[in-house]
Amino acid sequence: MKKFIYLILILNWFLSGSTYAQNWYKGNLHTHSLWSDGDDYPEMIMDWYKANGYQFVGLSDHNVIQNVDKWVNVPHQNDRRRTFDRYLRTFGPDWVTYKRGANDSLKVKLKKLDEYRSYFEEPGKFLIIKSEELSTGFQGKPIHINVTNVQNLIRPLPGNSVAEVMQNNIDQVVAQRRQTGQPLFPHINHPNFYYAIKAEDLMQLRYERFFEVFNGHPLVNNYGDSTREGTESMWDKINFRFLQQGRPIMYGLGTDDSHNYYFFGPEFSNSGRAWVMVNAPELTPRSLIEAMEAGRFYSTSGVLLKQLPQHNKTLTVQVQAEPKVSYRIQFFGIRQGKTTAELLREVSDTSATYALTDDLLLLRAKIISNKPKYNPFMPGDVETAWTQPIVQKPVPQPLASVSPLPNAHAHNDYEQSRPLWDALDNGFTSVEADIHLIDDTLYVAHERPGFKNAASTLETLYLNPLAERIRQNKGHIFTGYNGPFYLMIDAKTEAESTYQVLKKVLQRYQSMLTTGSRTKNQNGVITVVLSGNRPVQTISKDKNHFVTIDGRPSDLGKGYSQAIMPIVSDAYPNQLSWRGKGEIPADQFEKLRLLVRRVHKEGKKLRLWASPEDPVVWAKLREAGVDFLSTDQQELVRDFLLKTNSN
């Protein structure tokens, strides 16, 4: 590891000793039916995908979720009537609801997702993921964003630019994920559809991790033209910018975007043109999304791989070769000091390896066969696959204009667009991460991870970056700031065992900590606060504990010193029912003030989690003396505190 760089492997193979069985699941995330502008019935579409070896499909119709009553007219066109006849013949009159009227009119009631999914779904074999394509535009440019595993209908929002329209709608997806607690993610569809979205637009996005590097619709211009770049070139440019900003990289999806199921050919948008192969423990939305967000997948139009290509610091490509088919494996990368990707090596073989060396910022592979693609996106296409990149990235340089905010706490910081870096750039002096002990390693995640992801360990996401930021700032988190900085660690696994492993990990970073085994020359700046499952007695008796304790109101009066328990936390609803509407009831405000006085009397600070994300509420919390505003909305809290502090 270089002095000025720490290595983050965004994609990785299992760590040694993994206890999690992994499976390959084939899926398409972008599909249309008669619920919007597709030309066939959902059941017929699912029947095709299941029969053709897919394990999951996202039926993503435009601005609609299949949970309302919907009747469609069947035109007199021969192909539309034949489509209906085929539907009726396949599923039978007891299943199909339809009405015939005057002049041979015909209406069909579409089945809702909950009505037909049980017909197809089988545990571990086939899954339908509830999805929506948020479809809007800007000045005539189509802007479409898929939402995988959407829970509630999202209505598209406008904006004042292409990037702003995308961001406004991505923010809605992020908000729903936080509100529901369910895993879901947005992905940018076909950026070159009428050349509406440029790489420069995508570079501005927060919380966006996926876009379609290959889409099977005939109008999406995957390959660009003589004056406009294709999606692969865009992909590399976006990731170079994301690396500069310290953002997680963008992953490339292959999708069908199928609309046409009766006519076939390059002029139609048909099924089977591209898909993703996901390496996940089980076939559930949560498991698939967790795996995809960790980059444990590749995209393909036909070439299949034997294993996940990413292994430690290398890409190892092994093709499931077909008889009489030849393959070229191309490695693309961006070298240190360069701004564009280049072809690093091409191998005519079924296996090849390339290492992510110190002189490379990014590395990905493309596998090209000589097998003509059946029903191709464009004439002459051959079956191809794309791996996800692996990267190493510099720690972003500190912003000179940041104002440290002693009252700002980043709740579930790891779910931000840039874990840790967004909090530091916004001046937060307290960040929170949930941890799970799996074997002897601590992983950061809200739910227990389904596999071991080296990019999501406590050291990778927080301890190494904090050590580097302190080095950058010559002993400080923020230049010139001598106040406390808290790293709150919420233990989700058993208290004693988690603490013992955490203690061992923190020993390697004790020079930057304010607690633990110390010498006169050490001047630590980070106070680690253990929340969640806390072995309170063990820590309080441990002379070299390395962590402090996040207390509860019930811990007050028990003699725990400020050095052992610097913070007391509670759920907002345990103290207040007021949500910011109207005046706060006097008795609730007085109850809060009494709690503040009890906490402050012991020299501790008070934090309330799960408080409403509302400046009206924040104002009353600060008026009562609550020390930390615990938030997911970092920029809003930053602006609120800066304005409040300036008055």
Side-chain angles (χ1 to χ4, degrees), residues 485-489 499 502 506 513-516 526-531 534-536 539-540 545-551 561-567:
F485 183 92
Y486 299 97
L487 173 60
M488 183 170 286
I489 297 175
Y499 169 64
L502 176 61
L506 292 176
L513 306 180
T514 60
T515 53
I526 295 174
T527 298
V528 178
V529 184
L530 186 61
S531 188
R534 310 155 300 145
V536 176
I539 296 173
S540 62
H545 47 79
F546 294 107
V547 305
T548 60
I549 303 167
D550 181 28
S561 69
Q562 184 272 341
I564 287 290
M565 188 178 288
I567 297 173

Side-chain angles (χ1 to χ4, degrees), residues 239-260:
N239 277 329
F240 177 73
R241 177 65 64 86
F242 278 14
L243 290 177
Q244 288 181 311
Q245 297 173 337
R247 296 188 182 280
I249 61 171
M250 185 83 82
Y251 296 133
L253 301 174
T255 69
D256 281 341
D257 192 6
S258 51
H259 291 70
N260 309 119

Side-chain angles (χ1 to χ4, degrees), residues 370-383:
N370 69 342
K371 181 180 178 181
K373 173 65 179 173
Y374 174 76
N375 189 15
F377 163 72
M378 287 187 65
D381 278 359
V382 293
E383 293 186 354

